[in-house]
Structure formats: structure tokens, C-alpha cells
Amino acid sequence: MTAAGGERGEHRIRPVVHRTFPLQDGPRALAELASGDQFGKLVLTVPPTPATR
């Protein structure tokens, strides 16, 4: 394979996570995003459901 990083993909681009918020704090995450003070991604986490535990 001639793609960058070879066959095993050693050279992957990884996102920069600025901060993680629980899903119920979505409005607070949106306010931080609107402020423009973050560097990187804001992540909302979803709590596991009984079916996914």
C-alpha cells in the first residue's frame, strides 16, 4: 500500500479534546463553544444504558 502511514496506519491524525461534558451539561458546553475560548473539541459524554453495560 502506498498511502501515507503505510498499511498499519501508524501516522493517524488525532483530535485535540479541550474539555468533556456530561450530556446533561450540553447548554454549558454550547456556551463555552460560543465564547470561542476553547482550543480543540468539546465532547459530550452519554451515560451507559442498561443494555450497553
Side-chain angles (χ1 to χ4, degrees), residues 1-2 5 9-12 19-20 22 24 26-27 30 37 44-48 50:
M1 178 178 262
T2 60
E10 295 93 7
H11 302 286
R12 295 183 166 259
R19 190 163 174 198
T20 303
Q24 65 268 20
L30 187 57
D37 291 335
L44 294 176
T45 57
V46 179

Side-chain angles (χ1 to χ4, degrees), residues 20-40:
T20 303
F21 292 90
L23 183 60
Q24 65 268 20
D25 289 344
R28 193 167 55 138
L30 187 57
E32 184 162 334
L33 183 63
S35 75
D37 291 335
Q38 85 284 350
F39 178 85

